[in-house]
Amino acid sequence: MLLVVTYSRSARTTLRNACRSHEETVVRRFGRAALLEETEHGAFLACRLREKHPDDVQVERTEPFNEYADAPESVREAAAAYESRDAASTSYRLFARGTDHPDPARLKEREL
């Protein structure tokens, strides 16, 4: 998918108009950003926005996140356990201390 992010009012207006006119290419809209299908038409719309607003539009190529294929089992288990913790105010750092769950510093250092 193509992620298009706008940084000015006029660029947001152009993005909104493009999304309304070409709904078949829009995967999802987020106000000042949109996900477009990774097709030539999606690229055309993204390039057109960049051409019209060169300093106010950022375009990135994205790929879907599949938690079962992309995240280690230890991370998924830690997330599930943390979400079912007794006290919602407990930080993950305190929650993970003394358990087999990954340390927050390790989580921040390791890439997927």
Side-chain angles (χ1 to χ4, degrees):
M1 288 183 275
L2 300 174
L3 174 64
V4 180
V5 182
T6 59
Y7 297 103
S8 71
R9 179 173 284 162
S10 60
R12 283 193 299 275
T13 299
T14 304
L15 176 65
R16 182 180 60 244
N17 292 340
C19 289
R20 287 180 179 165
S21 299
H22 304 285
E23 291 179 359
E24 71 282 357
T25 303
V26 178
V27 176
R28 186 136 189 217
R29 186 132 174 356
F30 305 98
R32 66 177 56 227
L35 283 172
L36 304 178
E37 288 183 344
E38 194 169 342
T39 61
E40 288 185 356
H41 189 249
F44 170 79
L45 293 174
C47 289
R48 196 176 128 218
L49 283 159
R50 286 283 307 254
E51 195 64 33
K52 186 170 184 175
H53 307 280
D55 298 326
D56 298 325
V57 174
Q58 177 181 351
V59 179
E60 299 289 336
R61 181 180 253 165
T62 66
E63 59 184 70
F65 175 72
N66 179 334
E67 64 188 87
Y68 298 102
D70 300 333
E73 186 174 350
S74 62
V75 171
R76 294 191 315 269
E77 289 176 354
Y82 183 62
E83 279 307 306
S84 56
R85 66 194 182 278
D86 294 331
S89 61
T90 303
S91 69
Y92 180 75
R93 183 178 52 78
L94 292 175
F95 174 81
R97 186 180 296 155
T99 70
D100 290 335
H101 298 305
D103 179 77
R106 187 184 124 213
L107 289 173
K108 292 175 185 176
E109 293 170 359
R110 298 183 89 182
E111 291 189 23
L112 291 179

